[in-house]
Amino acid sequence: MSASTAGTTTISAGDELPAFDVHPDPVQLFCYSAITWNPHRIHYDAPYARDVEGYEDVLVHGPLMGSWLMRLCETWVRPWGRVTSMTYRTTTSVHPGTPLTVGGVVTRGGDAPEAEIWVALPDGTRATQGSVSAVRTGGADVAGHTDVTDDRPDGGQQR
């Protein structure tokens, strides 16, 4: 973990980001589809997902997992800086009811730290993974520009 001494946080490679668990359910997926104006039935209509698309159930949105990753990153940097960029890629289908862990580890410490981030299935498989860069600002909750890139092959286009 990052050490804090006299108001200064030391960020070192190998530090873990403040992981948390999420338990997506069908209602959350339906609501996320509604607030993002994503009408694709694969996220809220189980018979459609099974019978037309061939999945065992509806799918958790890649951008929803991306929002959990951003929550992780913002929680990590809030005491000492701000996120400057974040990228992620979802490579494994996730169905509601699957308990997930959102976590990460610092890969480069110092005043411009970087971390590897992920959303993992119970067996440790990373359904979504990416990276984050940050910068020390010297103050808490400093407002700044954050670039978030979804590097899916379709350019982040909704289905």
Side-chain angles (χ1 to χ4, degrees), residues 18 20-22 65-78 86 102:
F20 60 92
D21 295 328
V22 292
M65 290 188 277
S67 70
W68 295 329
L69 290 171
M70 182 52 89
R71 178 175 136 199
L72 170 77
C73 297
E74 289 292 331
T75 300
W76 171 55
V77 304
R78 187 170 296 124
M86 182 185 94
V102 182

Side-chain angles (χ1 to χ4, degrees), residues 6-94:
T8 303
T9 302
T10 302
I11 303 145
S12 303
D15 290 348
E16 293 184 12
L17 277 62
F20 60 92
D21 295 328
V22 292
H23 303 275
D25 63 42
V27 173
Q28 182 182 32
L29 302 186
F30 176 81
C31 290
Y32 190 81
S33 287
I35 65 170
T36 60
W37 288 83
N38 181 350
H40 197 331
R41 294 165 54 189
I42 202 163
H43 299 297
Y44 62 85
D45 183 342
Y48 174 86
R50 282 192 302 271
D51 302 340
V52 177
E53 298 282 350
Y55 292 102
E56 63 185 69
D57 199 352
V58 295
L59 299 177
V60 175
H61 308 71
L64 177 56
M65 290 188 277
S67 70
W68 295 329
L69 290 171
M70 182 52 89
R71 178 175 136 199
L72 170 77
C73 297
E74 289 292 331
T75 300
W76 171 55
V77 304
R78 187 170 296 124
W80 49 263
R82 66 180 175 86
V83 171
T84 57
S85 69
M86 182 185 94
T87 63
Y88 69 96
R89 181 181 181 101
T90 298
T91 57
T92 301
S93 297
V94 176

